[in-house]
Amino acid sequence: QVQLVESGGGSVQAGGSLRLSCKAPRNILSTFSGSDMAWYRQPPGKERELVASINSGRSTNYADSVKGRFTISRDNGKKMVYLQMNNLNPEDTAVYYCYQNRPNDGIYWGQGIQVTVSS
């Protein structure tokens, strides 16, 4: 069963913007609002890395490489988490994964979505 559904990826030129969305359709509202959420990415030939996180209290954390360019946010009522990506560069090319750490239930991953930035 698909737990997290990502959308919004694609191809863009350097300097452009994309917004990734992740929905947790099977969560009840309290489960989603109590979850810590994050976006990870895996560039070609590299390890998966944390991009940004937002906890249940809405505190955020960013990788140094995206600070000032990316913004993570969440809408608990819609069971959605977003990643606004601005001023993209080719080094941002990767498969992006939505991550959820549910209280007392463990970790879930989305299926991944491709983001390609051309110079």
Side-chain angles (χ1 to χ4, degrees):
Q1 293 181 339
V2 176
Q3 300 291 335
L4 299 172
V5 181
E6 298 126 334
S7 61
S11 297
V12 65
Q13 289 190 327
S17 298
L18 286 173
R19 189 175 85 150
L20 302 183
S21 299
C22 172
K23 186 174 179 64
R26 297 185 179 275
N27 281 198
I28 61 174
L29 288 179
S30 60
T31 295
F32 186 83
S33 62
S35 296
D36 296 337
M37 304 296 297
W39 288 95
Y40 282 73
R41 67 185 181 187
Q42 187 165 15
K46 296 184 178 181
E47 298 290 317
R48 192 175 297 189
E49 61 185 12
L50 175 67
V51 177
S53 65
I54 182 167
N55 66 16
S56 58
R58 298 181 185 269
S59 293
T60 58
N61 183 53
Y62 295 92
D64 287 343
S65 59
V66 307
K67 283 181 181 176
R69 300 188 299 122
F70 290 12
T71 303
I72 189 170
S73 60
R74 63 191 297 163
D75 184 332
N76 289 336
K78 294 182 179 179
K79 298 181 288 185
M80 299 282 291
V81 64
Y82 306 98
L83 185 68
Q84 178 66 43
M85 305 185 293
N86 297 328
N87 194 22
L88 286 159
N89 60 61
E91 289 70 38
D92 296 316
T93 294
V95 178
Y96 284 71
Y97 296 89
C98 183
Y99 163 103
Q100 181 182 29
N101 187 356
R102 292 185 198 169
N104 304 312
D105 192 25
I107 292 170
Y108 293 82
W109 292 93
Q111 77 280 6
I113 192 165
Q114 179 69 45
V115 171
T116 302
V117 185
S118 58
S119 57

